[in-house]
Amino acid sequence: MKCFTKSFTQQPSLSELAIGRAVAVMQSGRLHRYNTPKGEASETDLLEVEFAKYQGSDYCLACSSGGYAMHIALRAAGVQVGDRVLTNAFTLAPVPGAIHNCGAESVLVEVDQNYCIDLRDLANKAEISQAKALLLSHMRGHIADMDELMRICQQHDLLLIEDCAHTMGASWGGKKSGSFGDIACFSTQTYKHINSGEGGLITSNNPQMMAAAILYSGSYMLYENHQAAPDKEYFSEAKLHTPNYSGRMDNLRAAILRPQLTELDSQVQKWNQRYSAIEKELQQCNQVRLPTRSAKENFVGSSIQFSLPARSSTEIAKVVEQCAQRGVSLKWFGDSEPKGYTSKYDSWAYLSEQSKLDRTEEVLASMLDMRIPLTFSVEDCQLIAQIICSVVNNS
Ligand SMILES: *Cc1c(COP(=O)(O)O)cnc(C)c1O
């Protein structure tokens, strides 16, 4: 019986270039983004300029984490205490956490069978909840029909904040994920597409929102140092009314992220080769259902999701266990117990009462989720998929 032995949580090491840049920052002693000789741009400034360019957005702010980015992006977009914010029922815990952090209330929207936000439920809940904003999580890289989604946002006058933790490098209809909404958030945490341990990025074309985000991040009135920021006139009033919620990025992290950004598009190709290899094998197994993806979607296959629609919860739990015995680590969002990174909406007990989410229950009950780290070769991915098929076919 073939087994797989590599770790699903092992990321590739950083390049010599990134390590060299980090060493240079440490030698300089100037790790703080504002500890820069006059007239010189810090590593953090340069990262912001480069990421804004990559995204095709006017402004960018680097900060301490993806969750922090979402928190201040919601505030900068104008979400206030007591406001309702629509968001995906199928997402990760920092998303409802960010909404809670600004005193707003999450209204959870169902997932559809292709693991995207359910647009009919979105339109319906936008109507009945009178929500002010949508925090759209492109969860696990599944991008909803953005044409229809934008129409719903316009019709209901919803602010759109995009959570692009899993879509950095992805696009829809040739337009970068993160360039649809009023403001977008990214994560540079170890398991995302560029790795600084922790970190976040915010992009926007809205000068008021970006000025507010920079002030919230703790700019100590040094916002004029930022090179990917709006003109100083946008700060003049906001600076007295915007509290400092210190959450800046530092130069050490920015220094290791900049070379990774240069490599991002080629890394995306590597992820997609691995994704395709797994997908191809899983298509041979007739009990597995894979999501249908639009031709307009250019996703990043840094993880894969599939369903075993005919299986009961007990059977799914058994598949997870047997795959684990053969070295293949699957996550199951339908589990009643929250475990290592996966938690289901009903374990976020701090949320106010939600309407029934039958569709989400049904989809999550039979959906499995697997990371694809770039330390796996294409052959590794084929072996992994063969193991999954063999477990599914023999259980
Ligand atoms: C990882 C993640 C984030 C951001 O998380 P941090 O760990 O705070 O950087 C946001 N949304 C989703 C869906 C995520 O998976």
Side-chain angles (χ1 to χ4, degrees), residues 64-70 90-96 137-141 163-166 185-192 197-200 341:
S64 56
S65 75
Y68 179 87
M70 292 188 287
F90 170 46
T91 187
L92 247 61
V95 179
S137 184
H138 300 291
M139 179 63 175
R140 290 296 190 253
D163 165 21
C164 303
H166 305 156
C185 306
F186 300 81
S187 170
T188 65
Q189 190 240 74
T190 289
Y191 298 111
K192 314 299 162 117
E198 303 283 356
Y341 293 96

Side-chain angles (χ1 to χ4, degrees), residues 285-288 307-319 322 332 362 365-368 389-395:
C285 180
N286 58 18
Q287 307 205 38
V288 169
S307 296
L308 300 172
R311 301 299 176 95
S312 69
S313 291
T314 327
E315 290 166 333
I316 300 264
K318 226 167 121 193
V319 168
Q322 289 178 355
W332 179 34
E362 195 189 316
S366 66
M367 188 201 80
L368 293 168
C389 289
S390 129
V391 167
V392 169
N393 289 332
N394 294 307
S395 66

Side-chain angles (χ1 to χ4, degrees), residues 86-87 107-113 116-129 134 136 144-145 148-153 155-156 158 355 357 359-360:
L86 295 154
T87 196
V107 178
L108 300 179
V109 181
E110 301 251 44
V111 67
D112 73 13
Q113 61 169 355
C116 295
I117 195 164
D118 182 322
L119 295 177
R120 274 180 50 195
D121 194 45
L122 175 65
N124 179 39
K125 290 201 170 124
E127 179 75 36
I128 57 179
S129 70
L134 166 62
L136 172 66
D145 178 339
E148 176 61 10
L149 187 137
M150 293 310 291
R151 202 191 54 72
I152 295 170
C153 288
Q155 188 186 342
H156 296 278
L158 288 171
S355 58
L357 293 156
R359 190 131 192 237
T360 304

Side-chain angles (χ1 to χ4, degrees), residues 5 7 23 39 43 63 87 118 194 207 216 234 265 270-271 290 303 326 372 390-391 395:
T5 51
S7 162
V23 170
E43 288 284 344
C63 60
T87 196
D118 182 322
I194 54 178
Y216 279 126
Y234 290 102
D265 287 343
K270 288 186 196 156
W271 265 308
L290 288 152
S303 69
R326 294 180 62 180
I372 311 179
S390 129
V391 167
S395 66

